Every structure is written in C-alpha cells, then in structure tokens.
C-alpha cells in the first residue's frame, strides 16, 4: 500500500503547468465531456484513450466556473456535463495510524482525499439522491461512481445522524441517516 501512497503524493508531477498559463480566450470548442466520462468532439466520440488523456492534461476550470483546454497561446471553452473525471476506485491505506483514501479516476489520475482534494456530496432537493465528488487537481472534480460511493458509505462512521469519513486528517460528510 505504500507504493500507492507514494504514487498519490506524486500525482500531478509531470503535468503541464496549465494554472500558470494565461492566454487570451479564443472561443468555444465543440467538445463535450459527458456524465459517463466519455469525451466528444464535433458530435463524435473520441475513442483514442491516449488522445483523451492528452486533452485531460491541458484541462482546467477557471474562477468563472468554465472548463477550458489551455495551451500557452490559446484557451478554448469546452462543455462538461457534470465533471470531467470519474472516480472509479477508492483504496484505503494508513499513514501514521490515520486513514487515507486514494481515488483513481477513469483516466488514471490519483488523488488523496484531504485538504487539497476534498470530498463533497450534493443532495438533490427533489429526490434526495446524493451526487458525490472529489477534487482531482486545481478545480477539476471527479464524479464518484455509485459503486465507489457505496464503498465509502460502508467505510463511514455514524456521527449522530450524519455519515462521515476521514482521510488525511480531514472529516467529510457523506449524508444523513434517517
């Protein structure tokens, strides 16, 4: 499990420094990242995994809430249905006797839940259904898939009528117990 902790700690190394690039906005690209994690361009699904991974490395979400593909010379807005990544796996480890949750995305990114990678859960006001997320890098989130969320709920502690889970010294609320 130590190698997974080391890999999560090194996550983001070697990625382009998109947060430092400030090109002028160049327009909107006909690209969409759908809820199921698929990437589409001009109405066609991008099926080359390496190309999707490449695009994901130059993606960022700015303060305006818009997702952009960014290079040093241009910035193109893209549509994101709910989140650009899916958290498809969670591993539980320990560091200094404390729990650590490590999420893996559909594109192979790792994120250690904690202060820099918080977990949040939106609750639909009409249906009461939870929609859980974890920050992967910058402001980019991963939608936590249903099986992974069920694993989190199974690991959670009940605190009064709240379900909480701890990772890297932070406590995150997953929902309420009726």
């Amino acid at each position: 499990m130590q190698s997974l902790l080391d890999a999560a700690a090194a996550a983001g190394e070697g990625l382009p420094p998109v947060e430092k690039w400030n090109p002028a906005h160049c327009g909107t690209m006909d690209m969409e990242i759908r809820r199921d994690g698929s990437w589409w361009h001009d109405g066609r699904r991008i099926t080359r995994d390496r190309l999707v991974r490449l695009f994901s490395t130059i993606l960022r979400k700015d303060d305006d809430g818009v997702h952009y593909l960014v290079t040093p010379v241009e910035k193109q807005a893209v549509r994101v249905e709910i989140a650009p990544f899916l958290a498809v796996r969670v591993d539980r480890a320990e560091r200094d006797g404390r729990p650590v949750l490590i999420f893996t995305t559909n594109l192979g990114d790792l994120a250690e839940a904690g202060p820099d990678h918080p977990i949040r859960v939106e609750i639909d006001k009409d249906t009461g259904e939870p929609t859980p997320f974890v920050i992967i890098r910058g402001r980019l989130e991963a939608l936590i898939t249903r099986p992974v969320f069920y694993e989190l709920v199974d690991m959670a502690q009940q605190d009064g009528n709240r379900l909480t889970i701890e990772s890297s010294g932070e406590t995150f609320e997953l929902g309420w117990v009726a």
Side-chain angles (χ1 to χ4, degrees):
M1 204 45 86
Q2 185 59 42
S3 62
L4 188 58
L5 287 169
D6 293 341
E13 289 180 14
L15 290 173
V18 296
E19 300 299 329
K20 295 179 181 176
W21 295 339
N22 293 302
H25 182 268
C26 297
T28 300
M29 183 178 239
D30 187 12
M31 184 173 281
E32 178 181 18
I33 306 169
R34 296 189 179 168
R35 182 183 184 104
D36 67 359
S38 62
W39 289 57
W40 295 71
H41 182 258
D42 287 336
R44 294 186 177 160
R45 186 176 183 156
I46 302 172
T47 57
R48 293 179 53 205
D49 292 339
R50 293 175 111 186
L51 187 57
V52 170
R53 177 66 184 149
L54 174 65
F55 282 138
S56 78
T57 65
I58 59 167
L59 183 68
R60 80 175 187 212
K61 183 177 179 183
D62 285 358
D63 288 333
D64 60 7
V66 177
H67 291 82
Y68 296 95
L69 291 178
V70 181
T71 70
V73 296
E74 71 178 326
K75 176 177 165 180
Q76 295 280 331
V78 298
R79 289 181 310 282
V80 175
E81 191 172 3
I82 191 162
F85 303 107
L86 297 176
V88 296
R89 178 179 172 153
V90 64
D91 290 286
R92 189 173 188 159
E94 282 192 12
R95 180 182 299 117
D96 302 324
R98 299 177 81 177
V100 175
L101 299 173
I102 300 167
F103 290 90
T104 304
T105 73
N106 57 316
L107 298 176
D109 295 284
L110 297 175
E112 179 181 313
D116 295 331
H117 304 279
I119 298 169
R120 71 179 182 90
V121 180
E122 290 181 4
I123 304 294
D124 185 287
K125 289 181 186 354
D126 297 326
T127 66
E129 184 171 334
T131 304
F133 300 91
V134 63
I135 292 286
I136 299 303
R137 63 177 178 267
R139 293 179 196 90
L140 298 176
E141 292 183 306
L143 172 64
I144 299 172
T145 60
R146 185 166 292 176
V148 172
F149 187 61
Y150 288 160
E151 285 184 61
L152 292 176
V153 169
D154 192 44
M155 291 185 250
Q157 302 295 315
Q158 191 168 339
D159 179 12
N161 60 349
R162 300 178 327 144
L163 281 180
T164 62
I165 195 158
E166 185 181 335
S167 180
S168 303
E170 295 286 314
T171 300
F172 303 101
E173 187 175 301
L174 299 180
W176 295 84
V177 178

